[in-house]
Amino acid sequence: MENKTMTAQTTTVMTAAEFLEQWQGHRRLTRKTIEAFPEKEFFNFSIGGMRPFSELVNEMMEMCGPGIYGIVTNEWKTFGGQAKSTTKEEVLKQWDEITRQINDLWEQIPEGRFQEVQMAFGQYENPGFKTILYFIDNEIHHRGQAFVYLRALGIQPPMFWDRS
Amino acid sequence: MENKTMTAQTTTVMTAAEFLEQWQGHRRLTRKTIEAFPEKEFFNFSIGGMRPFSELVNEMMEMCGPGIYGIVTNEWKTFGGQAKSTTKEEVLKQWDEITRQINDLWEQIPEGRFQEVQMAFGQYENPGFKTILYFIDNEIHHRGQAFVYLRALGIQPPMFWDRS
């Protein structure tokens, strides 16, 4: 055991810039996972009555696009209900647009917002950092499921650790 | 748009105590996921040539047990190679022991360690917060895969949002 001062439980874990990079690294991996699917299976393939990956990706986009806007403005647009893309090309375009929105809006997050409690989408009461963690965790969770779909299709998924 | 000061990109996102709760919340959900598996399928069931959930859980334990010890002490024990539990009961006992270790060792994390670069397990060079995020993300990823296994077995997984 090293002889050092211990961390106060109120100390900072990561900065806003590092948190953004954590999110965008996962988004890059999810983008590669979308690309790995054949067009048809992206929209149709599923296991055990679950949603196809296209539906899971649509959920991520409906959560993260209006979500980052809500974090910044405290105005929460409807979760879901937007027109869905019907080709992988359209989905990837929409994905990249949200990636840009997140980068642009990130710098406008008001001071104190990470620790401030908001009612996300009018129903989920959490401090900002927890709402964003939920977006990221939900994406990791559903992308993990897509890895099983790919394996069942005989396709090698991208490397989990590669966030480039 | 509210008229507020914007967040500095060096501002804190969450505290050490909140980070621990994020980790332990996921560990509680993973524990419920282990419990949801029938004994036999926990050790044998898989899809697409992937590892059964018991192997994925074993990876989590080999990563997180020695991992939290490494974060605190900067001594990295071998990743893997320990004797594996062969019943769900043993696995859950081992799981709970690691949960306790994480709670106990968390308070001993040296000041500055979250931002300090370490060579985790002698090969993964990252600041402490990123090493711990990797442990958590890897768990979410593999647990998501276990949810597909459960669905394929006709078993309803626990609720993803419930971390109680």
Side-chain angles (χ1 to χ4, degrees), chain A residues 95-108:
Chain A
W95 189 264
D96 293 340
E97 177 55 31
I98 294 171
T99 297
R100 273 189 296 274
Q101 283 172 17
I102 292 170
N103 281 336
D104 291 350
L105 287 169
W106 193 261
E107 299 188 359
Q108 299 175 39

Side-chain angles (χ1 to χ4, degrees), chain A residues 5 7 12 26 109 111 137, chain B residues 5-7 12 26 109 111 137:
Chain A
T5 310
T7 298
T12 187
H26 277 297
I109 295 177
E111 177 80 35
D137 293 351
Chain B
T5 311
M6 297 311 159
T7 299
T12 186
H26 277 296
I109 295 177
E111 177 79 35
D137 294 352

Side-chain angles (χ1 to χ4, degrees), chain B residues 42-54:
Chain B
F42 179 67
F43 291 97
N44 293 331
F45 186 80
S46 87
I47 292 174
M50 296 177 68
R51 289 169 287 173
F53 190 41
S54 59

Side-chain angles (χ1 to χ4, degrees), chain A residues 7-16 18, chain B residues 10-16 112 114-115 129:
Chain A
T7 298
Q9 292 309 297
T10 50
T11 201
T12 187
V13 167
M14 69 183 110
T15 66
E18 288 162 343
Chain B
T10 51
T11 202
T12 186
V13 166
M14 67 183 116
T15 65
F114 290 122
Q115 289 289 324
F129 82 90

Side-chain angles (χ1 to χ4, degrees), chain B residues 4-105:
Chain B
K4 287 202 180 183
T5 311
M6 297 311 159
T7 299
Q9 292 308 297
T10 51
T11 202
T12 186
V13 166
M14 67 183 116
T15 65
E18 288 163 342
F19 197 29
L20 174 62
E21 174 54 24
Q22 158 75 357
W23 194 359
Q24 293 289 18
H26 277 296
R27 288 183 59 80
R28 287 190 288 272
L29 178 57
T30 303
R31 194 185 196 286
K32 282 188 267 187
T33 308
I34 297 169
E35 285 181 312
F37 269 81
E39 184 79 24
K40 183 169 162 247
E41 281 74 11
F42 179 67
F43 291 97
N44 293 331
F45 186 80
S46 87
I47 292 174
M50 296 177 68
R51 289 169 287 173
F53 190 41
S54 59
E55 293 285 338
L56 303 175
V57 168
N58 199 61
E59 179 188 279
M60 293 171 200
M61 294 197 295
E62 288 178 343
M63 202 181 272
C64 295
I68 183 65
Y69 186 83
I71 290 284
V72 170
T73 62
N74 217 4
E75 290 164 31
W76 298 89
K77 298 178 186 175
T78 314
F79 183 111
Q82 288 89 338
K84 291 173 190 174
S85 299
T86 54
T87 65
K88 263 179 59 182
E89 193 186 343
E90 280 173 20
V91 169
L92 288 170
K93 205 176 147 189
Q94 203 181 344
W95 189 264
D96 293 340
E97 177 55 31
I98 294 171
T99 298
R100 273 188 295 272
Q101 282 172 17
I102 293 170
N103 281 336
D104 290 349
L105 287 169

